[in-house]
Amino acid sequence: MLVLGMDSTAPAAHSWFDDIHALIAGSLFVALGMTMFGHAGLLTGGVAGVAFLASYASGLPFGLFFFLLSLPFFVLSWYRLGPAFTFKSFGAVALVSVCTTLAPKVVRFELLNPWVASVLGGFLIGFGLLALLRHQASVGGVNILAQWLQQARGYSAGKVQMSVDLVVVLAALWVLPPLQVAQSVVGAVAIGAILALNHKPGRYLGV
């Protein structure tokens, strides 16, 4: 219904409650997806992929490496995307790091097929990232770069994310069996597809 004197296409601003809810829900989705990937021995792209490799090699928690490796990207976020985006993204990265570290104490998978983990875990991560991006936040790393390129250059954040993820995952052929790499590629495509199809310039009007 069109109300006279009102612009029906004007973006509806998010309240602080909207942002907090999206920050928590999106971070939990990402954390659960990452936990599934880790349980199945899979990789994802970007900083998270490097964090997985470091975790597999050292036996230390994924969350620790994910948090530390994400820190340098907040410099780009601060200068290119602003303090609000940076603070919310820092909160999301911290929450994902804590949740993935605590996950083994509260979540157990008695049976988790790696192919199922790659698709379902990828979708969970993709929807989590989508929720964060629509509320001007991210989980750091390449996600920050992808968001900036979409805002500044008009490139699809989903396609940027998928491209980088695939490169990182394919590089893992040097250290992982081909079957695990293939399963990880499916996961990377699942993540990127959610963003590429749903996070496009002009499609979502909330700010």
Side-chain angles (χ1 to χ4, degrees), residues 144-155:
I144 289 176
L145 177 62
Q147 178 71 349
W148 173 66
L149 286 174
Q150 175 158 306
Q151 290 186 6
R153 300 288 187 268
Y155 300 147

Side-chain angles (χ1 to χ4, degrees), residues 12-14 18-19 22-23 85 88 126-138 143 147 150-151 194-207:
H14 292 131
D18 295 336
D19 288 339
L23 184 70
F85 185 94
K88 286 189 283 188
F127 278 118
L129 294 177
L130 181 64
L132 293 172
L133 288 171
R134 286 185 168 180
H135 288 260
Q136 297 301 300
S138 75
N143 204 221
Q147 178 71 349
Q150 175 158 306
Q151 290 186 6
I194 294 294
L195 296 179
L197 294 174
N198 295 282
H199 189 59
K200 297 180 178 180
R203 169 163 289 182
Y204 184 71
L205 298 179
V207 294

Side-chain angles (χ1 to χ4, degrees), residues 12 29 38 41 68 90 104 115 135 146 159 175 185-186 207:
F29 270 40
L68 294 176
F90 183 86
W115 292 107
H135 288 260
K159 292 179 180 178
V175 294
V185 168
V186 171
V207 294

Side-chain angles (χ1 to χ4, degrees), residues 28-90:
L28 289 177
F29 270 40
V30 172
L32 180 57
M34 292 293 188
T35 299
M36 294 177 70
F37 274 23
H39 181 83
L42 307 181
L43 286 176
T44 185
V47 168
V50 178
F52 269 126
L53 286 174
S55 177
Y56 295 154
S58 66
L60 294 174
F62 160 84
L64 173 64
F65 292 109
F66 181 65
F67 182 80
L68 294 176
L69 292 171
S70 295
L71 291 178
F73 287 90
F74 288 116
V75 177
L76 171 65
S77 176
W78 182 271
Y79 288 106
R80 298 298 183 182
L81 298 172
F85 185 94
T86 303
F87 284 126
K88 286 189 283 188
S89 298
F90 183 86

